[in-house]
Amino acid sequence: MGRFRGGLRCIKYLLLGFNLLFWLAGSAVIAFGLWFRFGGTIKDLSSEDKSPEYFYVGLYVLVGAGALMMAVGFFGCCGAMRESQCVLGSFFTCLLVIFAAEVTTGVFAFIGKGVAIRHVQTMYEEAYNDYLKDKGKGNGTLITFHSTFQCCGKESSEQVQPTCPKELLGHKIFGMIFSMVLCCAIRNSRDVI
């Protein structure tokens, strides 16, 4: 009987530790989502006329998922501390739903990555063409793209030189060569598989 109680106590503390980590992970997910939306380089895109609202929806979903993780972690801690079957059963159900949602999200993200890439390319094309039409106006979206991805223009950097990061201009040719070689190598290795 003593070993049984010791084993249950060990499981209880392991569950408390797991839920504390789960709660902290939820806090980190919320912090990351809010920082990425309001404090990172992406925040500059929201000041433009053509802000990527579909991208922000994903960040809001991330913040919501973090809040759900925090709530479930707190729920699990309460269930373990009170040793309540009802609360622990509800905690297990919540974890099962979260796991199913993560698998579903992963599948949709894998299937929809091409669509996301096309959206980003379209957004860049629009910003690029807008800048070429009116260079005096400036373009914060194009500047943000270039500074975030450390790139400069499409075919050549002469047309959009003012929007390029200054530290990139001297090393652009080598970066272009290396990136194209790496891109071709990756494409060839995927063709083999």
Side-chain angles (χ1 to χ4, degrees):
M1 188 73 164
R3 289 183 184 171
F4 182 72
R5 284 185 186 255
L8 285 179
R9 183 172 287 161
C10 182
I11 290 173
K12 176 181 175 178
Y13 289 124
L14 284 173
L15 188 60
L16 281 171
F18 168 77
N19 286 311
L20 181 62
L21 289 176
F22 201 68
W23 185 84
L24 290 173
S27 302
V29 167
I30 289 174
F32 176 74
L34 291 176
W35 173 80
F36 205 59
R37 170 61 176 93
F38 297 110
T41 57
I42 303 299
K43 74 173 180 161
D44 297 332
L45 291 176
S46 64
S47 63
E48 294 295 314
D49 294 335
K50 300 174 182 173
S51 63
E53 293 300 323
Y54 53 87
F55 181 74
Y56 293 139
V57 168
L59 291 177
Y60 295 139
V61 168
L62 187 68
V63 170
L68 180 65
M69 286 174 67
M70 285 182 66
V72 169
F74 179 75
F75 202 44
C77 281
C78 289
M81 288 296 290
R82 295 183 182 252
E83 297 179 4
S84 168
Q85 284 183 329
C86 180
V87 176
L88 287 174
S90 300
F91 169 71
F92 175 79
T93 305
C94 289
L95 282 182
L96 188 64
V97 168
I98 289 172
F99 178 71
E102 286 176 352
V103 170
T104 305
T105 303
V107 167
F108 280 123
F110 182 74
I111 291 171
K113 72 179 177 182
V115 174
I117 289 170
R118 282 193 299 276
H119 280 301
V120 171
Q121 287 172 337
T122 302
M123 197 168 73
Y124 180 79
E125 288 287 331
E126 289 174 359
Y128 187 86
N129 293 334
D130 287 348
Y131 180 77
L132 291 180
K133 287 178 188 172
D134 188 10
K135 292 185 180 180
K137 179 180 149 186
N139 193 319
T141 304
L142 199 59
I143 292 169
T144 302
F145 265 108
H146 289 162
S147 66
T148 301
F149 296 116
Q150 290 296 302
C151 64
C152 186
K154 294 190 307 187
E155 291 87 25
S156 73
S157 63
E158 286 83 29
Q159 295 176 326
V160 291
Q161 191 95 21
T163 64
C164 299
K166 304 217 181 322
E167 64 273 0
L168 184 66
L169 295 177
H171 305 289
K172 184 171 185 341
I173 305 247
F174 291 113
M176 287 173 54
I177 292 170
F178 292 147
S179 67
M180 188 51 63
V181 169
L182 181 62
C183 181
C184 290
I186 290 171
R187 184 186 69 224
N188 291 339
S189 69
R190 287 189 178 158
D191 288 342
V192 170
I193 295 174

